[in-house]
Amino acid sequence: MIAQFHWSEADYVSAQKVWLRRHPWAHLRGYWFPVAVAALSVAIVVFKPEAGLRGLMGIALALLLFGFSALMTRWRWHRHFKRTPLWHDQVTAKVDQHGVNLHSQSYGIHHSWGECSDIYEAAGVIVFEMANQSFVFLPKRDMSFAQLLDLRNTILTHARVQPQLASETA
């Protein structure tokens, strides 16, 4: 399967969200402070009911911090996408029996099937995750139905891991 596309910020954000859903501990590690404040506040409410108002204020503070942290994560993704010129190139993706190849005017990436530790599909992207927790993704929005079927069949035929793909009609 060969496809050409430009990555969009929505593709990048979608891939990041899918990766975080599959690695919740990495996500929680980024929110350690709000989680610690929430745990402490819940402990205050449970073990010291007379200080319940303070505990509830702590829970509200933790929720506020969690929301702020989520906004900061999204902002970091936005900045990274805008500042990295690689995301703005025309990309040619080739997925065949050898692996995943991405080429543009400023870079070339090859990942063999043996490097892929997980392959999964979300609403807008197909993610190829490597053993070192890095990943590459292909946006589905620019693929025809035939290209998407060919890509899924190539993955099912050659991948060394059990991919989690959508049905052929999705």
Side-chain angles (χ1 to χ4, degrees):
M1 189 283 309
I2 296 176
Q4 289 190 332
F5 56 86
H6 277 96
W7 272 304
S8 72
E9 186 173 344
D11 299 330
Y12 180 70
V13 169
S14 178
Q16 291 287 348
K17 286 180 179 179
V18 170
W19 188 87
L20 283 176
R21 271 188 297 227
R22 297 187 57 84
H23 301 279
W25 292 113
H27 192 55
L28 285 177
R29 220 179 15 242
Y31 297 107
W32 70 270
F33 188 68
V35 169
V37 170
L40 184 61
S41 300
V42 167
I44 288 171
V45 169
V46 170
F47 296 113
K48 238 180 159 187
E50 64 275 1
L53 184 58
R54 287 185 186 151
L56 291 176
M57 287 177 15
I59 291 171
L61 175 65
L63 290 173
L64 183 69
L65 289 171
F66 186 79
F68 180 74
S69 296
L71 286 173
M72 288 304 298
T73 298
R74 178 61 177 88
W75 179 249
R76 274 193 308 274
W77 292 344
H78 169 74
R79 273 195 337 223
H80 183 261
F81 185 82
K82 292 295 182 198
R83 289 184 179 172
T84 306
L86 303 179
W87 295 114
H88 305 290
D89 289 350
Q90 173 82 15
V91 179
T92 301
K94 180 180 177 188
V95 181
D96 58 14
Q97 70 271 15
H98 303 293
V100 180
N101 295 294
L102 301 175
H103 291 284
S104 76
Q105 65 185 21
S106 52
Y107 65 93
I109 299 171
H110 171 76
H111 291 292
S112 68
W113 291 115
E115 293 178 62
C116 294
S117 63
D118 207 359
I119 302 169
Y120 39 91
E121 182 175 359
V125 294
I126 295 179
V127 179
F128 300 87
E129 186 175 327
M130 306 310 144
N132 65 359
Q133 301 294 314
S134 67
F135 62 89
V136 295
F137 63 94
L138 302 177
K140 298 186 325 184
R141 67 177 153 66
D142 290 336
M143 290 184 202
S144 68
F145 185 71
Q147 284 178 314
L148 197 53
L149 284 178
D150 186 29
L151 176 59
R152 287 178 181 145
N153 288 334
T154 302
I155 292 169
L156 289 171
T157 303
H158 299 290
R160 295 185 182 171
V161 297
Q162 182 62 41
Q164 296 176 354
L165 302 173
S167 70
E168 291 185 1
T169 59

